């Protein structure tokens, strides 16, 4: 395909899926989607291969969506008609916990299926336990939606809508977010048909072949430029309750085939609390870690991910099997890049970064307003500092690898009875070194209520801060305080009116020995 023509068509595809994602973000009900960008959107060809992703979203969602879109297209192959919309939140098929619902909108043009627009977003509520790690198996964690038709020939599935309505605490918010996914997906489909008409093409199959083939070849070229061998890294960190987790990664580079295999053999076994990670989510953050150091300027799609293989023993904490609890899977999943980067430091030291705070600290509150009305918040997140890079400091209060933003405190105070007493940088918490790690942040809040309330909080790295790299010093460990007392609790905490919560997130590790 002619390079100029391909570039024009490619920019059109990116425009379609990015506009669709922005529309979804603007009209979503959940603050974590609307304000923080906790979402993913992708364009798929008729064979279910992700061709293009939006220029917004999180790697855990985006690369999991690539797998979910393919799985859903195969599941419903030959069973779709115009107006159908399919849905699932199956953790092992999609993004690893029930809160992340994937919606796939088939695109029909003159009765022909020419592709799909897919999205995965974090929903406010899915019933069950809530966002914390305290459930004992996956069935305590909320509503499980198997691959289903949310709309059939344009008509809402009455039974499925009724099941969802009766299993969540905030049905208006859930259905508002589902409507945002469906309407933005249909809009993206209309724009894809308009592109095909404008270019005089019957479908995007030849275009997707060209994009996917070129993307895969570019990734293989980048891998072939690396030295062959197996390189190892390890990361240790504590999780809610104080348990220490080991993640070990062996990164094997085959510079003849242009392939990389990442093997997590030797990592911790699955946990009895809800911090376990399914392979889709492990694969998502593993491929992100490698792609962001190799060729981040290349498109991220089915082709660019194909040369990266990820393995982990079944039943380990990064390849959890049914019925392991999963709701706080980000607590471990967002640490997946850390041992990979340590291994890559032996190969491309100038392109990696030191350990950062890892997982965002996630908070959810439930209680009653002063008028007695019950509320359940969406989750809200706070990050620590990023690790230092070879030539640049780590950004402060910025989470690697997720990239999700914090919901502004003004928004949170407007939608629930919460008061933020402090929010400031935790100056000096970044590790020293030739280049300093980023600082964490301090957040203090209390609730405006005269009734007891519940707190789900999922902090990590309370025992030891992120390691430095190449002689850099470690960042400060985090602190989680209730009324001035340090807490490390797995389960929901019963709180009293007037209780004050203080979060001090970790600083990032330094890079290189200080002068």
């Amino acid at each position: 395909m002619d390079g100029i023509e391909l570039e024009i068509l490619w920019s059109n595809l990116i425009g379609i899926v990015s506009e669709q994602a922005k529309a979804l973000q603007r009209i979503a009900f959940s603050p974590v989607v609307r304000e923080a960008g906790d979402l993913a959107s992708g364009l798929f060809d008729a064979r279910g291969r992700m061709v293009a992703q939006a220029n917004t979203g999180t790697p855990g969602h985006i690369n999991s969506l690539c797998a979910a879109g393919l799985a859903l297209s195969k599941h419903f192959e030959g069973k779709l008609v115009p107006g159908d919309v399919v849905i699932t939140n199956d953790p092992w098929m999609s993004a690893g916990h029930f809160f992340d619902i994937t919606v796939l909108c088939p695109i029909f043009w003159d009765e022909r299926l020419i592709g799909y627009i897919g999205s995965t977003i974090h929903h406010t509520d899915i019933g069950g336990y809530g966002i914390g790690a305290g459930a004992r198996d996956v069935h305590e964690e909320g509503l499980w939606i198997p691959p289903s038709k949310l709309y059939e020939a344009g008509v809402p599935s009455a039974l499925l809508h009724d099941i969802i309505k009766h299993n969540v605490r905030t049905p208006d918010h859930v259905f508002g977010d589902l409507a945002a996914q469906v309407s933005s997906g249909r809009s993206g489909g209309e724009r894809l048909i308009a592109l095909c008409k404008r270019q005089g093409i019957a479908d995007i199959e030849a275009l997707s072949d060209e994009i996917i083939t070129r993307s895969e070849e570019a990734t293989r070229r980048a891998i072939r430029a690396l030295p062959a061998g197996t390189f190892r890294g390890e990361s240790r960190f504590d999780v809610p309750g104080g348990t220490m987790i080991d993640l070990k990664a062996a990164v094997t580079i085959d510079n003849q085939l242009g392939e990389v295999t990442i093997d997590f053999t030797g990592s911790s076994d699955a946990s009895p609390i809800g911090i376990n990670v399914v392979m889709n989510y492990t694969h998502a953050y593993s491929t992100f870690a490698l792609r962001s150091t190799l060729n981040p300027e290349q498109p991220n799609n089915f082709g660019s991910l194909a040369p990266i293989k990820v393995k982990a023993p079944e039943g380990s904490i990064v390849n959890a099997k049914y019925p392991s609890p999963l709701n706080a899977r980000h607590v471990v999943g967002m640490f997946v890049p850390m041992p990979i980067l340590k291994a890559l430091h032996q190969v491309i030291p100038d392109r990696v970064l030191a350990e950062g705070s890892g997982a965002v600290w996630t908070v959810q509150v439930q209680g009653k307003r002063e008028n007695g009305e019950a509320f359940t918040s969406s989750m809200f997140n706070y990050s620590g500092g990023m690790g230092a890079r070879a030539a640049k400091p780590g950004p402060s209060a910025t989470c690697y690898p997720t990239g999700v933003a914090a919901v502004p405190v003004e928004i949170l105070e407007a939608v629930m009875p919460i008061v933020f007493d402090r929010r400031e940088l935790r100056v000096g918490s970044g590790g020293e070194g030739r280049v300093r790690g980023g600082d964490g942040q301090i957040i203090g809040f209390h609730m405006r209520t005269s009734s007891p309330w519940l707190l789900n909080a999922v902090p990590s790295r309370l025992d030891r801060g992120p390691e430095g790299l190449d002689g850099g010093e470690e960042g400060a460990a985090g602190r989680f305080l209730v009324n001035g007392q340090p807490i490390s609790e797995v389960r929901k905490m019963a709180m009293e009116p007037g209780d004050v919560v203080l979060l001090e997130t970790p600083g990032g590790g330094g890079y290189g020995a200080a002068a």
Side-chain angles (χ1 to χ4, degrees):
M1 184 174 287
D2 174 76
I4 295 175
E5 179 189 9
L6 177 61
E7 185 62 29
I8 292 170
L9 291 171
W10 170 250
S11 63
N12 273 267
L13 294 183
I14 291 294
I16 289 170
V17 74
S18 293
E19 274 195 24
Q20 177 258 334
K22 288 295 185 184
L24 166 57
Q25 195 169 356
R26 281 196 303 271
I27 60 180
F29 279 45
S30 176
V32 77
V33 177
R34 191 178 64 246
E35 305 292 339
D38 201 4
L39 65 111
S41 294
L43 172 66
F44 298 77
D45 64 16
R47 287 166 276 178
R49 302 179 301 172
M50 189 174 77
V51 182
Q53 67 166 71
N55 55 17
T56 186
T58 70
H61 283 144
I62 289 164
N63 291 354
S64 295
L65 177 60
C66 182
L70 183 62
L72 284 171
S73 69
K74 298 303 181 189
H75 183 89
F76 288 100
E77 190 170 5
K79 303 174 185 175
L80 297 173
V81 299
D84 283 353
V85 176
V86 299
I87 183 175
T88 191
N89 71 343
D90 185 316
W92 284 270
M93 182 181 285
S94 185
H97 67 176
F98 289 148
F99 286 95
D100 289 333
I101 299 181
T102 295
V103 170
L104 195 66
C105 297
I107 305 168
F108 281 90
W109 181 20
D110 294 337
E111 307 297 319
R112 291 182 301 108
L113 179 68
I114 65 167
Y116 304 86
I117 293 282
S119 63
T120 300
I121 71 171
H122 184 101
H123 280 254
T124 302
D125 175 28
I126 200 64
Y129 184 86
I131 195 62
R136 292 160 293 186
D137 72 35
V138 71
H139 293 289
E140 292 185 348
E141 295 186 321
L143 175 64
W144 189 331
I145 306 170
S148 312
K149 289 189 178 182
L150 185 65
Y151 285 75
E152 300 181 63
V155 179
S157 168
L159 177 60
L160 183 56
H161 279 67
D162 213 31
I163 289 171
I164 296 172
K165 177 182 177 181
H166 284 83
N167 279 277
V168 300
R169 300 178 180 90
T170 55
D172 289 346
H173 280 73
V174 172
F175 282 108
D177 283 343
L178 287 174
Q181 289 183 268
V182 173
S183 60
S184 62
R186 286 174 170 168
S187 174
E190 291 169 0
R191 292 203 60 209
L192 182 66
I193 293 170
L195 171 65
C196 291
K197 288 179 178 178
R198 191 166 62 246
Q199 297 296 324
I201 55 179
D203 53 43
I204 62 166
E205 295 307 294
L207 175 59
S208 68
D209 280 339
E210 188 79 13
I211 291 168
I212 288 170
T213 299
R214 288 186 181 221
S215 300
E216 181 173 347
E217 289 174 351
T219 301
R220 291 189 186 276
R221 276 197 306 272
I223 294 170
R224 289 189 181 107
L226 302 177
T230 297
F231 308 90
R232 302 180 188 278
E234 181 176 359
S235 185
R236 299 190 78 238
F237 52 94
D238 62 282
V239 294
T243 302
M244 295 297 297
I245 302 297
D246 278 298
L247 292 186
K248 297 181 180 181
V251 179
T252 301
I253 299 169
D254 184 334
N255 59 11
Q256 299 300 308
L257 288 177
E259 289 185 357
V260 171
T261 300
I262 301 169
D263 188 346
F264 287 94
T265 297
S267 298
S268 294
D269 292 333
S271 171
I273 63 173
I275 58 171
N276 299 293
V277 188
V278 302
M279 180 52 77
N280 267 5
Y281 201 73
T282 298
H283 185 275
Y285 275 117
S286 297
T287 50
F288 174 71
L290 193 63
R291 293 270 349 274
S292 62
T293 55
L294 277 184
N295 55 348
E297 73 286 348
Q298 293 296 326
N300 190 61
N301 55 35
F302 183 87
S304 57
L305 300 177
I308 306 168
K309 317 296 182 185
V310 182
K311 301 193 301 183
E314 188 178 22
S316 65
I317 200 163
V318 287
N319 188 8
K321 60 183 181 180
Y322 170 84
S324 295
L326 309 162
N327 257 0
R329 50 88 171 101
H330 68 283
V331 172
V332 172
M334 290 181 186
F335 282 95
V336 161
M338 306 303 175
I340 297 172
L341 294 176
K342 288 182 178 179
L344 293 175
H345 177 254
Q346 303 161 49
V347 184
I348 40 176
D350 58 321
R351 299 190 213 170
V352 301
L353 67 161
E355 278 191 348
S357 57
V360 289
W361 286 19
T362 301
V363 180
Q364 185 181 43
V365 292
Q366 293 173 268
K368 292 181 180 179
R369 302 178 189 274
E370 293 289 6
N371 63 5
E373 179 187 350
F375 74 92
T376 298
S377 78
S378 176
M379 74 171 190
F380 46 103
N381 301 315
Y382 294 105
S383 58
M386 271 179 64
R389 297 157 287 183
K392 294 181 181 179
S396 297
T398 303
C399 186
Y400 175 92
T402 178
V404 68
V407 178
V409 295
E410 296 86 355
I411 298 293
L412 294 172
E413 289 181 335
V415 298
M416 61 178 166
I418 192 170
V419 176
F420 284 89
D421 307 302
R422 318 172 54 177
R423 187 171 180 215
E424 59 193 78
L425 286 179
R426 189 183 175 195
V427 178
S429 56
E432 294 292 340
R434 186 180 73 248
V435 186
R436 287 193 75 251
D439 288 331
Q441 57 183 313
I442 301 172
I443 304 99
F445 68 89
H446 67 274
M447 302 302 295
R448 285 186 288 108
T449 181
S450 55
S451 304
W453 52 285
L454 296 174
L455 173 66
N456 256 341
V458 195
S460 54
R461 287 207 190 278
L462 298 178
D463 182 66
R464 181 179 174 185
E467 286 186 10
L469 193 60
D470 203 28
E473 296 182 15
E474 66 181 40
R479 296 207 310 157
F480 178 70
L481 308 173
V482 176
N483 298 327
Q485 297 301 309
I487 301 289
S488 179
E489 180 59 61
V490 173
R491 310 198 184 280
K492 282 183 188 177
M493 291 179 279
M495 310 291 286
E496 295 296 328
D499 284 350
V500 176
V501 180
L502 188 70
L503 291 71
E504 297 185 5
T505 61
Y511 195 117

